[in-house]
Amino acid sequence: MENAVKREERRQEIINLLVESRAVELDDVAARFGVSKMTIHRDLDDLERAGVLRKVRGGATIDAGTQFESDFRFRELQEADVKRALAEAAAELVEPGMTVMINDGSMASVLGDVLCAKKPITLITNNAAILERAKGISGVTLIGLGGVFSAKFNAYFGIVTEEALSRLRADIAFVSAPAASGRLSYHMDEAVVRAKRAMMAASRQKCLLINSRRFGHTALHVLADLAEFDTVISDKPLPHDTAAELGGRTTIRIAKETTS
């Protein structure tokens, strides 16, 4: 019987290939991993049921601009190693007994898992993945932010969320962003921006988590100037001009990827 870890690693690599090239051929994938075409068929069937790709004759695809790329389930499976490295680096800023805010997003959901080891800890979040996984853990005081549920972001937003945040105070807020250019971070959704900024306003320290691949990109709404954050954590050094503009006002930490 096939090892479950090997199967998951192969499926992760299939997703990575789709992110890079938008489509994969069944024969090519089977040859790449040295497994039967039937095995790859099963992989693609499972990933299609999870909503992260669409099977086509002879392979699979993700269509640019469709729900597949933006859907939380798809993003949750992308670049797991980078997300884990960023989460581990962020956890170094947290001590047991602290109150921590964590925003929506697949990267933040990994951080939620990591921070549960810092118990006793209080987690405040609108992230449904964190709420589901942390709700039964002893030593974790979990404060769930209500609001209107978004399946796209797997989180809660709106007036109820923002009002709740205005009445809370945390030691540190971890905020993620899908785009940054120059000194500005961005997000494509107005409601998400409002919730992230409400977390920043309600926390003593503010930390931005951002994948280095997101630099050089913009989105519709400005989230924040990077100088508003006490710390920026990325998997690679920030662009030279950006780091120079920050001028030491913001601590820049580089996450180190771990090999298992």
Side-chain angles (χ1 to χ4, degrees), residues 7 15 55 64 72 77 86 89 129 131 135 141 152 211 234:
R7 182 169 61 247
I15 290 166
K55 284 186 74 178
F72 177 88
L77 294 170
L86 292 171
L131 293 172
K135 64 185 180 183
T141 300
K152 178 177 181 180
N211 187 319
S234 189

Side-chain angles (χ1 to χ4, degrees), residues 67-233:
Q67 64 181 347
F68 297 108
E69 189 167 12
S70 61
D71 189 281
F72 177 88
R73 292 169 299 174
F74 184 76
R75 288 180 286 112
E76 190 174 34
L77 294 170
Q78 290 183 56
E79 298 184 294
D81 52 347
V82 173
K83 289 172 182 170
R84 185 75 186 189
L86 292 171
E88 295 284 359
E92 294 176 6
L93 302 178
V94 177
E95 299 293 336
M98 288 178 69
T99 297
V100 179
M101 288 182 177
I102 310 176
N103 70 180
D104 65 287
S106 56
M107 182 188 300
S109 71
V110 176
L111 175 59
D113 294 340
V114 173
L115 288 184
C116 286
K118 294 278 187 174
K119 57 188 181 180
I121 191 170
T122 298
L123 299 181
I124 302 171
T125 188
N126 62 335
N127 191 317
I130 296 174
L131 293 172
E132 179 62 30
R133 295 200 285 256
K135 64 185 180 183
I137 299 177
S138 175
V140 176
T141 300
L142 188 61
I143 299 177
L145 300 168
V148 178
F149 179 72
S150 165
K152 178 177 181 180
F153 297 109
N154 199 34
Y156 297 86
F157 302 101
I159 293 173
V160 175
T161 313
E162 295 157 34
E163 177 67 17
L165 284 165
S166 74
R167 297 180 178 276
L168 295 167
R169 189 72 179 167
D171 295 300
I172 188 167
F174 291 105
V175 174
S176 55
S181 182
R183 266 180 41 178
L184 298 179
S185 57
Y186 297 85
H187 199 283
M188 68 290 296
D189 189 279
E190 181 182 1
V192 176
V193 168
R194 289 200 307 267
K196 290 176 189 287
R197 290 204 60 83
M199 285 189 177
M200 293 171 66
S203 297
R204 183 171 55 85
Q205 294 184 65
K206 304 157 189 62
C207 177
L208 176 69
L209 303 175
I210 185 162
N211 187 319
S212 61
R213 291 179 59 234
R214 306 299 188 177
F215 276 97
H217 299 278
T218 62
L220 180 59
H221 300 285
V222 172
L223 169 61
D225 189 314
L226 268 59
E228 294 181 57
F229 295 96
D230 300 283
T231 307
V232 174
I233 300 176

